[in-house]
Amino acid sequence: MIKRRLIIDTDPGVDDAFAILLAASDPQTEILALTTTAGNVGIERTTRNALGLKELLGLNCPVFKGADRPLAIPLEDAANVHGESGLGPYVFDHVPALETSELAWDAIYRLAKANPGSTLVALGPLTNIAIALMRYPDLPDVLGEVISMGGTIGYGNTVPYSEFNYYCDPLAAKIVLESKLKVTTVGLNATRQTQLSPDELASLDPQDPVLNRFVRLQREFYWDRLRNLGMEGFHLPDAAAMAVVLEPVLMHAERLPVHVVTDNGITQGWTVVDLRRRKDEKLHQVNVALSIDKTGYLRLMQQINGLKGGHA
Ligand code: RIB
Ligand code: CA
């Protein structure tokens, strides 16, 4: 029985790929669409990767192409983390064509209206969602909720206090977090609690030989890249965000005031979360993830073991 219908907005992206594998492995989840945005790498590559993942996993949902750059600043990608292809050493040698020229923001609104109560899982910069809000002001009335992997409390991964998705398009993050959408932010402060050891990571490998090769290439590349970048541990932010969509009890969140800094430079995309819990709060509040249960996360991620590919 389908318990949730998801629109996944994504910039694949190694951890995006793990998040999509997790969603695809869940029998109670229907993926309505993959909508792509520029972020980890450019829009052509994120869209190619989404189409490739659709075929690899045998997803029967459409892919919709979205924003090729942030709203107001040039794209600064994360190819240094995810590789030039966006999926480490893995390049899809052929992908199905886009089935439609309908753009991501139009599809997000149309699918939200046609599927009341659906959830938008945003795994990249929030550019598509911000554009959808500007084009369709009643989006908050038709969309169930938005779970956004983004922001952090404390130190970031891109500049001292900012997480990549909100650093990449801070204006889009501000527009979405200050809108009437029901938003939960799953930031690095929470996703870092799901760090996996090499053995725990290897325990995710699918039995399906084609998926097994894809997953092993991703994790081996990502592990080495994070090590070389001096980043502590190994965690998959987008997969952690997807896990709390599938199993909300894994997350503890609180409704808190969040201000997104849109100045360019060292504070760009900083999410200033007010933990003082004041009574006379004026700032707009969103649900902010404060913790994720790592044991439950690992158990859920191991669903990927049994995933059957639809590979061509
Ligand atoms: O900061 C982590 C986020 O930025 C993840 O979504 C990752 O895919 C990158 O987009
Ligand atoms: Ca991502």
Side-chain angles (χ1 to χ4, degrees):
M1 176 227 172
I2 295 295
K3 277 178 70 175
R4 63 190 69 78
R5 288 181 172 78
L6 308 183
I7 301 166
I8 302 176
D9 192 71
T10 180
D11 60 335
V14 173
D15 59 326
D16 301 70
F18 276 90
I20 294 166
L21 270 100
L22 177 60
S25 72
D26 190 86
Q28 296 180 323
T29 295
E30 177 184 358
I31 301 175
L32 295 172
L34 299 179
T35 57
T36 62
T37 180
N40 286 321
V41 289
I43 188 65
E44 297 307 325
R45 285 181 170 156
T46 57
T47 304
R48 182 178 183 81
N49 292 339
L51 289 163
L53 286 165
K54 166 187 161 76
E55 185 169 65
L56 181 71
L57 298 171
L59 302 178
N60 58 14
C61 67
V63 173
F64 299 93
K65 188 173 180 180
D68 62 0
R69 74 181 75 87
L71 292 180
I73 54 178
L75 174 66
E76 268 185 65
D77 69 27
N80 64 317
V81 177
H82 296 265
E84 289 305 317
S85 78
L87 291 173
Y90 197 96
V91 179
F92 287 107
D93 48 16
H94 70 83
V95 296
L98 273 173
E99 296 154 21
T100 168
S101 58
E102 183 179 11
L103 294 169
W105 39 86
D106 297 325
I108 286 169
Y109 181 70
R110 176 177 58 81
L111 290 167
K113 278 191 86 168
N115 298 276
S118 55
T119 297
L120 175 60
V121 186
L123 303 177
L126 294 175
T127 316
N128 289 340
I129 296 86
I131 295 172
L133 268 171
M134 291 186 277
R135 288 172 70 94
Y136 305 102
D138 66 326
L139 180 66
D141 303 329
V142 299
L143 182 58
E145 63 174 331
V146 178
I147 309 289
S148 163
M149 190 284 130
T152 190
I153 300 171
Y155 67 96
N157 59 2
T158 308
V159 287
Y161 296 105
S162 303
E163 175 279 325
F164 174 77
N165 287 333
Y166 291 6
Y167 171 88
C168 184
D169 195 341
L171 180 57
K174 181 178 180 64
I175 289 169
V176 172
L177 267 61
E178 294 184 0
S179 75
K180 293 191 174 359
L181 284 168
K182 188 180 167 207
V183 179
T184 297
T185 60
V186 184
L188 294 173
N189 58 294
T191 64
R192 281 185 177 122
Q193 298 171 36
T194 66
Q195 292 195 9
L196 299 178
S197 70
D199 289 348
E200 287 170 333
L201 193 54
S203 75
L204 308 186
D205 289 357
Q207 286 136 30
D208 177 292
V210 175
L211 294 185
N212 181 285
R213 176 176 177 274
F214 174 80
V215 167
R216 274 188 301 105
L217 279 174
Q218 295 305 306
R219 63 178 174 80
E220 287 162 3
F221 167 84
Y222 200 56
W223 181 272
D224 291 344
R225 192 54 67 97
L226 293 185
R227 279 274 172 278
N228 295 339
L229 289 167
M231 293 187 181
E232 93 294 345
F234 176 102
H235 79 289
L236 297 158
D238 290 341
M242 184 61 76
V244 302
V245 173
L246 305 188
E247 211 166 307
V249 295
L250 294 179
M251 171 180 68
H252 170 62
E254 276 190 42
R255 193 153 185 74
L256 294 167
V258 179
H259 172 77
V260 183
V261 175
T262 52
D263 308 349
N264 290 351
I266 196 77
T267 57
Q268 179 176 321
W270 178 14
T271 45
V272 180
V273 182
D274 189 341
L275 293 165
R276 292 175 297 169
R277 296 163 177 91
R278 298 180 311 176
K279 294 281 178 281
D280 62 342
E281 188 40 64
K282 305 243 181 341
L283 264 181
H284 187 79
Q285 304 190 38
V286 295
N287 297 319
V288 178
L290 298 176
S291 67
I292 298 176
D293 165 40
K294 187 244 171 125
T295 307
Y297 163 76
L298 179 57
R299 170 183 46 73
L300 194 61
M301 285 295 286
Q302 285 166 341
Q303 275 182 182
I304 294 175
N305 291 161
L307 199 51
K308 292 279 175 282
H311 28 77

